[in-house]
Structure formats: structure tokens, C-alpha cells
Amino acid sequence: MGNKVYSEKEIAIFNGVIALMEKGVNPYSIKVSDIAREADVGKGTIYDYFTSKEEAISQAILYNIKIEIESAYSRIRAKAGFREKFFEILYIMAECVDSNVSTFSSLLSAGGIQEFYEYLSEYRYDLSDHLSRIYELYEHLLDTGVKEGIVEKVENSYYRNMVFSSAIVGFSQYFGHRNFNNDISIEEAMEASYKLLVKGLN
Amino acid sequence: MGNKVYSEKEIAIFNGVIALMEKGVNPYSIKVSDIAREADVGKGTIYDYFTSKEEAISQAILYNIKIEIESAYSRIRAKAGFREKFFEILYIMAECVDSNVSTFSSLLSAGGIQEFYEYLSEYRYDLSDHLSRIYELYEHLLDTGVKEGIVEKVENSYYRNMVFSSAIVGFSQYFGHRNFNNDISIEEAMEASYKLLVKGLN
Amino acid sequence: MGNKVYSEKEIAIFNGVIALMEKGVNPYSIKVSDIAREADVGKGTIYDYFTSKEEAISQAILYNIKIEIESAYSRIRAKAGFREKFFEILYIMAECVDSNVSTFSSLLSAGGIQEFYEYLSEYRYDLSDHLSRIYELYEHLLDTGVKEGIVEKVENSYYRNMVFSSAIVGFSQYFGHRNFNNDISIEEAMEASYKLLVKGLN
Amino acid sequence: MGNKVYSEKEIAIFNGVIALMEKGVNPYSIKVSDIAREADVGKGTIYDYFTSKEEAISQAILYNIKIEIESAYSRIRAKAGFREKFFEILYIMAECVDSNVSTFSSLLSAGGIQEFYEYLSEYRYDLSDHLSRIYELYEHLLDTGVKEGIVEKVENSYYRNMVFSSAIVGFSQYFGHRNFNNDISIEEAMEASYKLLVKGLN
DNA sequence: TATGAATGAGACTTCATTCAT
DNA sequence: TATGAATGAAGTCTCATTCAT
């Protein structure tokens, strides 16, 4: 399913872009020369593989989301139990915030990720693919939760997805508004998110 | 508190910036000459009132958030009943999406609004102010809901705020992922959000 | 008749381009930064007046041709007598060669001036204007020659123009092939050209 | 006499350059990658045979001129009669215009061919060779014309060459100023050129 | 105070040339 | 010998900022 194989150089460029974003550079502020330096390729090489800076950055973001989601999927499957699986998602979100790469969480944000980088809207199709994958993940969690008798089988898929996304985004706001939450530990924030999730699914 | 009075020109400039954003221009793509044209002032005038383009845009966004929040506050107070008030918030969010100006909703997003425009992080103090105002709003809603016996008095303020924010952001994802939700009407999305809110607060 | 008025800056830019060409720089090798330095304006200024480097150079060439032709016209009218007038044309051609600016003579060349600078073909209309002016000049010369009884009234305007142009270009080849003509003085070359002209027009 | 033998690859490269020029690409706009594609060789191969792009193009032009002149020589010798031979030259010029490759006619133009491609001035010696060949051709024509009693034996070689060149360039202007000559057929233009030639040589 | 013409730093992109294969 | 992937110097053009009016 769309498993494009990337050349060594393309991956170097992707990693360069991602490294910059992890350093806290916002995609609009990334310069071609920065990517080239970070990826250790010539500036011209970027144009051998992509038609413009925007394409290179967009593809890098999509590549990164794909990797992030697949990695999340593995980590979550590896955990046993509904609560453990959901907390794993929250841990992943926390790591994303630490690494400045919130591309993944942007997928769940209000305006969608195209707000994060306008040129991404060209890749609507790929974004939908990623979202589908996230919804699959939610289904997997719900199944586990139902089996454990923690939550009920929610038939309305829109509501189900919304509850998961809401609880996750609700948690990630903990970081965005950190200065407000000085007296709240990250564990408490996770518990709060989990509480909302369970209530929402019952 | 912090009710800075703005000159006529400053407001013209703010409105120019906002008009551009309403036209769908992303803040990173706004040019000084665009602002000047839109605000009908000379380019030099912008530098008489602001030290840089970034400051002008940042201040405009903050100004806009303040107005949006105050307007929201009035509209919500004007509604009677917990459900009506909450739905009013959702209507406001829907309007934001239509007008392309999601500055307000970005406040609630995962990465916080500084992700939306990196230079805003200089204004941490003002952003906190706005967030406080939003939390006040949540308190007002909760009071109404408690009086009506719809929800319980939630003492944990972190959890309370999180539930409101989650439900609101959860709703606004309806727009971000619209192509996924073709079979869901906006009213159904609102009902889903309200359902999560009530469950979360009980 | 298309007497566009140029601003001070536009003329400075034109003169910058022309100065470069007089220094022997071929239009394809002119760089924007060269024009800016030569014209003593900022690089950006060039783009305030022209949409591209090519447009700036093209317009400069057209401007120069116009000036060259008008200057030629005056000089030639100022001379009395057919022979004197024609020799004045040849003197002008010789000066053109010395100053490296053969835009004028290129007008008469085989491929036409668009061969000299491909982007000029966008300005077909202006070029026709200039050519008309040259043909007027030929008519003026012919009238003088007829009055003096040196040449006959040639009714076929195509033939008439061709004879003048041929004689002039024939002379200017003297410079292009100078190493071949070491034993021929410039005066002899002029006499040869005049001889062909008179024979052609009788 | 300078009959350098070219390798297969060199000729492929020359033909690539010429093919591009026949497509209407001006020598300053030719890219190495274009030549490589057109000649079906690797880009590196071009540098195995030439030290720079400019050298490759210059040599290709010289090679082409040589071929054009030799071909012209044969065609003209094959014709019987002064008039027929001269018209053959004009037909050749017309074909040059059609095929966009006016390198040959540029040789006769005002500024000389170096105006056409500045790097050619490095090859002054070769250009002289070509010009000599053209002058030989003129002599051959003149001999024929004298034998036929159409023209007189012109002793002044400068004048003789000038008359031929002038008449030929005068004809080729027909194409450069085609929009001016809508009512003139190509045959009429040829007759005019011939008329000038005969008058000039009598 | 208000302007917008002018500037030039610095961005993106191209493409001649190299060199490992 | 032949190639073309890779490079980075150098070009064009944009646009934030200044400053004379």
C-alpha cells in the first residue's frame, strides 16, 4: 500500500529535514542550505530528487509521520492491556513534544496538519492514509478494552475516533500550557486523559 | 488588566493582518507590503508602530484572540442553559474554521499556538492571560451545568479544563478530517462532542 | 508615436546596460549585479521597473536603438548632399563598431536583431517602428540623390531599401573582416560602398 | 589544410549542438546536459573531448560552417551559369534561415560571427580560413559571369567581395524583416539581389 | 506623522564540471 | 573509455527595512 522505496540520498534529505525540526526549526524557517548541511549532501542534490524546497520538506514530513505511526503501532501492540496501550500512546506523545516533532500530533490537531505546513495540502491522499492507520490503532485499542471489560463496544465509529483523539490531544495540551500546570505531574495528566477516555467510551 | 489602548493606525494594521489570514494566507507567508496594502497605510508606518514584521503579526494575532475570546464570552453568556452555551462554543469554532482564522482554536491545540507562529512564544505572558480567560469560561459553563443537574461539580481544575478543551478540539477535528466524515453531519459531530463532555464531567 | 517617457531610474538602468555593452559585454553575459553597479542603483530597483533581467536588457537595447537612430537622423539631415549624407551613415557605422554597440547595425543584419538577443523578439512591434524610421531615412537620401541627379528615382521600395541596407552592411563587414583588409583603408572601403550604392540605384 | 579528423564521439557531439541550434536554441542557451542528451553521450564524455562547454559549441559551429561551405561549394559548382550559381547561393541562404542555423550567414554579417557567439573569437584563424573559402567561391562565380559576358572582370578584390557579400546579406534581410515584405515574394527578393549584384559588378 | 522608493542581504535554484565506478 | 550522480559556485530575484521627503 504505497510503500514507495526511497533512495539513500532521499532518506538522507528526509533525515536532515527531520533533524532540523527536532532542533526546533519550524518548517517555514528551514533553508535549503540548512537541509544540505544537515543531510551532508550538496544543495543541488536536493533538486535532483525534489522539484522544490517545499516538496522536499513535505515529503520529509510525510515520511516521518509514516515512521512515527508505524513505530507507535509496534510499541502499542507490544504492550498488553488497554490501560498500558493507551498510556503508551501518551508516552509517545510526550516524547514527540520533547523532540519538537509534533508532526504526528498535528495530524490530530484542530486545523489538521496542513495548517502546520501549507504545502502539505498537496498530499491530501497520503494524509488520509495516515489517518486511516491511526483509526485502525484506535480500533485495536477498543477491542482490547472491550475484551478486558473496561469499556463498551462503541458502534459509532465517528464518536469512537473522536473520543480517542480528544483524550490524546487533551493530554498533549498539558505541554502546550505547561506553565499553567506547574502543580500537575505528567502522571496525573495521563491519569486525567485516561479517565476521560474511559468515561467517554462507557 | 493589560488593557492596552491601541491607536487608530495600530488597529488598522491588526485588521490588515487578520484580513489576510481570513483570506487564507498563513502568517509565515504574509509580506509587509501585503499588510500595508490591506491596512491602507504606508509600509513605513508599520515600522513606526512595530519594531518588525513579526512583532506586528504577533500583536495582531494576540489582538484578534482577545477580541475573539471576548466575543465568545458575550455570546456564551447570552445563551441560557449548559447545553446551549456549549453548543454556542461549537458554533463559534465552526465559524472560525470557515473564516480561516483558527488562531483561537490553535490556543487549544496540541503544540499550543506558538507552533502556529513561532514568534508568538515571545508573548507567553499575554497568551497565559487569554488562556485564563478561557478557563474562566469553562468555570462559568460548569456552574451552569451543575445548577441544571446535568454535570457534577468537578473539583480538579486540571481535569475540568482538560475535558472542556478535549471535547472542543475533538469537535474541531471534524473539519480537519472532513473527507473522512462525509456521512456525519455537523449536528451529529456537535452531539458527539457534547456527549463526551457530559460523560467526562460525570 | 510611442514616445514613452522614462523615469530617471529607468534611464540610469538603460545607460548601465549600454555602458556594459560598450565595454564589450555581450547581452547574454550581462549580470543583474553588473547592471546595478554600472547604473549605480540597487539590484532590487531593477526589479521595481522591469519584471526580469531580460526585459531590462531588451528595453535598454530598444531605447538605445531609438536614440541611435534619432541621432543618426539629425546628423544625416545636417549634412548637405547625397554623397555627404551617405558617408555620414558610414561614419556612424564605423563609430558603432568602435563603441562595440552594434545594436543599430544588427537591425540590418541577416538574422535581424532578435538573433543578437533572443528576448527582443517579444518586441516585434517596436522593432518594426525602428525599421520604418530607417526606411524613411533611405527615402530622404534617395530624394536628395535624385535632386542632385546622382541616382534615379527608384520606385520599387523593396529594392531601394535593399540597396541601401546592402551597401551599408557591405561596408560594415570591413570591420568584421578587418584582418583580411589590411591593405584597404577605411576611406577606400567607404568609396567602395558608395560605388555599389550609386550603381545599384541607377 | 587544417583537415583535422574527428572521432565518432566528437562528431556526435557536434551534431548534437547543431541539432539544438536547428531547433532554435541560441548558443548561449545551450546546456551541457542538452548536448549530452541530443548527442546520446554522457555529460562526462563531452569533457573527454573538449575542455569546456564553450569549446565544444565553438568547435561545433566551426565544423558546421565548414560543412555548410563545402556543401555550398559543391552545389554551386554543379550549377551551370552565373545566374544559376548565384541563385543557388540565395537558395542556400533561404534554407539556412528555415533551419535556424544562420552560422553561415553570420559570417557575412556586420559584426562578424563572433557577435553571434563571443567564444568564437578564440578561433580567429579558422574563421579566416572559412572566409577565404567564401572569397574563392566569389571568384569562381565572377569568372563564370565574365565568361558569359554578364559582368565585367572586377580587379579590385575588396570591391568584388563586398559586392557579393552585400547582395547576399541584402537578400537575407528579406527574412529578418519578413513582416515588412508581405507583398514581396521570395523570387522577387532574389531578383532584386541579383539585380544589385549585376549592377555592382558592371 | 506618514509614506513608498530604494536598497541589498540572503534566499532559492541552475548547471558546468568532476570523479568514482 | 564512458558515464551520470553529485556538487557548490554563482546567478536571479524577493522582500524586510530604511530614510528622504
Side-chain angles (χ1 to χ4, degrees):
Chain A
M1 47 187 93
N3 273 312
K4 201 178 164 250
V5 195
Y6 294 109
S7 75
E8 208 182 314
K9 292 278 169 187
E10 279 168 311
I11 290 171
I13 292 165
F14 290 160
N15 287 331
V17 171
I18 294 160
L20 287 166
M21 289 177 42
E22 284 179 354
K23 282 181 184 168
V25 186
N26 133 330
Y28 290 102
S29 307
I30 292 177
K31 284 152 205 55
V32 173
S33 55
D34 295 338
I35 302 175
R37 194 184 324 102
E38 199 71 38
D40 200 33
V41 299
K43 259 189 299 177
T45 304
I46 294 169
Y47 290 90
D48 288 340
Y49 293 94
F50 305 97
T51 56
S52 68
K53 181 182 76 155
E54 280 73 27
E55 203 214 334
I57 294 176
S58 296
Q59 298 268 16
I61 291 173
L62 290 171
Y63 172 81
N64 187 235
I65 292 174
K66 191 180 176 61
I67 286 182
E68 278 184 1
I69 290 178
E70 290 317 315
S71 150
Y73 220 102
S74 311
R75 285 174 59 173
I76 290 154
R77 289 204 99 96
K79 291 285 165 186
F82 179 70
R83 185 186 155 95
E84 288 68 28
K85 282 175 191 283
F86 185 71
F87 270 66
E88 192 66 18
I89 295 182
L90 303 185
Y91 284 123
I92 291 166
M93 295 301 286
E95 290 166 20
C96 282
V97 171
D98 280 343
S99 73
N100 273 303
V101 181
S102 33
T103 50
F104 176 38
S105 71
S106 293
L107 259 181
L108 303 179
S109 284
I113 199 160
Q114 58 270 36
E115 196 127 282
F116 176 68
Y117 193 54
E118 63 179 325
Y119 305 97
L120 273 173
S121 46
E122 302 287 313
Y123 302 89
R124 229 176 278 275
Y125 178 75
D126 304 74
L127 288 169
S128 288
D129 251 26
H130 293 319
L131 218 45
S132 300
R133 204 82 180 102
I134 290 175
Y135 291 160
E136 271 179 49
L137 202 59
Y138 293 165
E139 228 175 316
H140 164 68
L141 255 83
L142 189 70
D143 288 345
T144 312
V146 169
K147 270 183 208 138
E148 295 178 13
I150 297 172
V151 294
E152 281 174 34
K153 180 98 199 114
V154 176
E155 293 301 342
N156 180 336
S157 71
Y158 172 76
Y159 179 73
R160 180 215 309 149
N161 291 331
M162 190 210 70
V163 172
F164 275 102
S165 293
S166 297
I168 294 169
V169 176
F171 167 70
S172 61
Q173 285 177 47
Y174 171 76
F175 302 99
H177 311 153
R178 227 181 308 216
N179 38 333
F180 257 88
N181 309 131
N182 288 331
D183 50 341
I184 303 289
S185 71
I186 188 164
E187 285 77 19
E188 288 171 303
M190 284 176 168
E191 289 293 349
S193 171
Y194 183 67
K195 185 169 151 190
L196 176 62
L197 179 76
V198 174
K199 286 191 175 188
L201 296 178
N202 272 305
Chain B
M1 51 185 86
N3 271 314
K4 202 175 162 255
V5 193
Y6 294 110
S7 75
E8 207 182 315
K9 292 274 174 188
E10 278 168 311
I11 290 172
I13 292 166
F14 290 160
N15 287 331
V17 172
I18 295 160
L20 287 166
M21 289 177 41
E22 284 179 354
K23 282 180 184 168
V25 186
N26 133 333
Y28 290 101
S29 308
I30 292 177
K31 293 173 202 73
V32 174
S33 56
D34 295 338
I35 301 175
R37 193 182 328 102
E38 199 72 39
D40 201 33
V41 299
K43 262 190 297 174
T45 305
I46 293 169
Y47 289 89
D48 290 339
Y49 292 95
F50 305 97
T51 57
S52 70
K53 181 183 78 154
E54 281 73 26
E55 205 213 334
I57 294 175
S58 296
Q59 298 270 14
I61 291 173
L62 291 171
Y63 171 82
N64 185 236
I65 292 174
K66 190 179 177 61
I67 286 183
E68 278 184 1
I69 291 178
E70 290 317 317
S71 151
Y73 218 103
S74 313
R75 286 174 60 173
I76 290 153
R77 287 205 99 96
K79 290 285 165 186
F82 179 70
R83 187 188 154 96
E84 289 68 29
K85 282 175 191 282
F86 185 70
F87 270 66
E88 190 67 17
I89 293 183
L90 301 186
Y91 284 124
I92 292 166
M93 296 301 287
E95 291 166 18
C96 281
V97 171
D98 280 344
S99 72
N100 272 303
V101 182
S102 33
T103 52
F104 176 39
S105 72
S106 293
L107 259 182
L108 303 179
S109 284
I113 198 159
Q114 59 270 33
E115 198 127 280
F116 176 69
Y117 192 54
E118 62 179 327
Y119 305 97
L120 273 173
S121 46
E122 302 288 313
Y123 302 88
R124 230 176 277 274
Y125 178 76
D126 303 74
L127 288 169
S128 288
D129 250 27
H130 292 319
L131 218 44
S132 299
R133 203 84 179 104
I134 290 174
Y135 291 161
E136 270 178 50
L137 202 59
Y138 292 166
E139 230 176 314
H140 164 69
L141 254 83
L142 190 70
D143 287 346
T144 311
V146 169
K147 268 182 212 140
E148 295 178 13
I150 297 170
V151 294
E152 281 175 34
K153 179 100 199 111
V154 177
E155 293 301 341
N156 180 335
S157 72
Y158 173 76
Y159 180 73
R160 180 216 307 150
N161 291 329
M162 190 210 69
V163 173
F164 275 103
S165 293
S166 296
I168 294 168
V169 175
F171 167 69
S172 60
Q173 285 177 48
Y174 172 75
F175 301 100
H177 311 154
R178 228 181 306 216
N179 38 334
F180 260 88
N181 309 133
N182 288 331
D183 50 343
I184 302 290
S185 70
I186 189 163
E187 285 77 20
E188 287 171 302
M190 284 178 169
E191 289 293 349
S193 172
Y194 182 68
K195 183 169 154 190
L196 175 62
L197 179 76
V198 173
K199 286 190 176 189
L201 295 178
N202 273 305
Chain C
M1 45 187 95
N3 273 313
K4 198 175 166 254
V5 195
Y6 293 110
S7 76
E8 209 182 312
K9 292 278 169 186
E10 278 169 312
I11 290 171
I13 292 165
F14 290 160
N15 287 332
V17 172
I18 296 160
L20 287 166
M21 289 177 41
E22 284 179 354
K23 282 181 184 169
V25 187
N26 135 328
Y28 289 102
S29 308
I30 292 177
K31 284 151 206 56
V32 174
S33 56
D34 295 338
I35 301 175
R37 194 184 324 103
E38 199 71 39
D40 199 33
V41 299
K43 259 188 300 173
T45 304
I46 293 168
Y47 290 90
D48 288 341
Y49 292 95
F50 305 97
T51 56
S52 68
K53 181 183 77 155
E54 280 73 26
E55 203 214 335
I57 294 176
S58 296
Q59 298 268 15
I61 291 173
L62 290 172
Y63 171 82
N64 187 235
I65 292 174
K66 190 179 175 64
I67 287 183
E68 279 184 1
I69 291 178
E70 291 317 314
S71 150
Y73 219 103
S74 311
R75 286 174 59 174
I76 291 154
R77 289 206 99 96
K79 291 284 164 185
F82 179 71
R83 186 187 156 94
E84 289 68 29
K85 283 175 190 282
F86 185 71
F87 270 66
E88 190 67 16
I89 294 183
L90 302 185
Y91 284 123
I92 291 166
M93 295 302 286
E95 290 166 20
C96 281
V97 171
D98 280 343
S99 72
N100 273 303
V101 181
S102 32
T103 51
F104 175 39
S105 72
S106 294
L107 258 182
L108 303 179
S109 285
I113 199 160
Q114 59 270 36
E115 196 127 282
F116 176 67
Y117 193 53
E118 63 179 325
Y119 306 96
L120 273 173
S121 46
E122 301 288 312
Y123 302 88
R124 230 175 279 273
Y125 178 76
D126 303 73
L127 288 169
S128 287
D129 251 27
H130 293 320
L131 218 46
S132 299
R133 203 84 181 105
I134 290 175
Y135 291 161
E136 271 179 49
L137 202 60
Y138 292 165
E139 228 176 315
H140 164 70
L141 255 85
L142 189 71
D143 287 346
T144 311
V146 169
K147 269 182 209 138
E148 296 178 12
I150 298 172
V151 294
E152 282 176 33
K153 180 97 199 114
V154 176
E155 293 301 342
N156 180 336
S157 70
Y158 172 75
Y159 180 72
R160 179 215 308 150
N161 291 330
M162 189 211 69
V163 173
F164 275 103
S165 292
S166 296
I168 294 168
V169 175
F171 167 69
S172 60
Q173 284 177 49
Y174 171 76
F175 302 100
H177 311 155
R178 226 180 308 217
N179 39 334
F180 258 88
N181 308 132
N182 288 330
D183 50 341
I184 302 291
S185 71
I186 188 164
E187 285 75 20
E188 288 173 302
M190 284 176 168
E191 288 294 350
S193 171
Y194 182 68
K195 184 168 155 191
L196 175 62
L197 179 77
V198 173
K199 287 190 173 188
L201 295 179
N202 272 304
Chain D
M1 46 187 91
N3 272 314
K4 201 175 163 256
V5 194
Y6 294 110
S7 76
E8 207 183 315
K9 291 275 173 188
E10 279 168 312
I11 290 172
I13 292 165
F14 291 161
N15 287 331
V17 172
I18 294 159
L20 287 166
M21 289 177 43
E22 284 180 354
K23 282 181 185 168
V25 186
N26 134 331
Y28 290 101
S29 308
I30 291 178
K31 292 171 202 73
V32 174
S33 56
D34 294 339
I35 301 175
R37 191 180 331 100
E38 200 73 38
D40 201 33
V41 299
K43 263 190 295 174
T45 305
I46 294 169
Y47 289 88
D48 289 339
Y49 293 95
F50 305 97
T51 58
S52 69
K53 180 183 79 156
E54 281 73 26
E55 205 213 334
I57 294 175
S58 296
Q59 299 271 13
I61 290 173
L62 290 171
Y63 171 83
N64 186 236
I65 292 174
K66 191 179 175 63
I67 287 182
E68 278 185 0
I69 291 178
E70 291 317 316
S71 151
Y73 218 104
S74 311
R75 285 175 59 175
I76 291 153
R77 287 205 100 97
K79 289 285 164 185
F82 179 70
R83 185 188 155 94
E84 288 68 29
K85 284 176 190 280
F86 185 70
F87 270 66
E88 191 66 17
I89 294 183
L90 302 186
Y91 284 124
I92 292 167
M93 296 301 286
E95 290 167 19
C96 281
V97 171
D98 280 344
S99 72
N100 272 303
V101 181
S102 33
T103 51
F104 175 39
S105 72
S106 293
L107 259 182
L108 303 180
S109 284
I113 199 161
Q114 58 270 34
E115 196 128 281
F116 177 68
Y117 192 54
E118 62 179 326
Y119 306 96
L120 273 173
S121 46
E122 302 288 312
Y123 303 88
R124 228 176 280 273
Y125 177 77
D126 304 73
L127 288 169
S128 287
D129 250 27
H130 292 318
L131 218 45
S132 299
R133 205 83 179 103
I134 289 174
Y135 291 160
E136 271 178 49
L137 202 60
Y138 293 164
E139 230 176 313
H140 165 69
L141 254 84
L142 190 70
D143 288 346
T144 312
V146 170
K147 270 182 209 137
E148 296 178 13
I150 297 172
V151 294
E152 282 175 33
K153 178 100 200 111
V154 177
E155 294 300 342
N156 181 337
S157 73
Y158 173 76
Y159 180 73
R160 180 216 308 149
N161 291 330
M162 191 210 69
V163 173
F164 275 102
S165 292
S166 295
I168 294 168
V169 175
F171 167 69
S172 60
Q173 285 178 48
Y174 171 75
F175 302 99
H177 311 155
R178 228 181 304 216
N179 38 335
F180 259 88
N181 309 133
N182 288 330
D183 50 341
I184 302 291
S185 70
I186 189 164
E187 286 76 21
E188 288 171 303
M190 286 178 168
E191 289 293 350
S193 172
Y194 182 68
K195 184 169 155 190
L196 176 61
L197 179 77
V198 173
K199 286 191 175 188
L201 295 179
N202 272 304

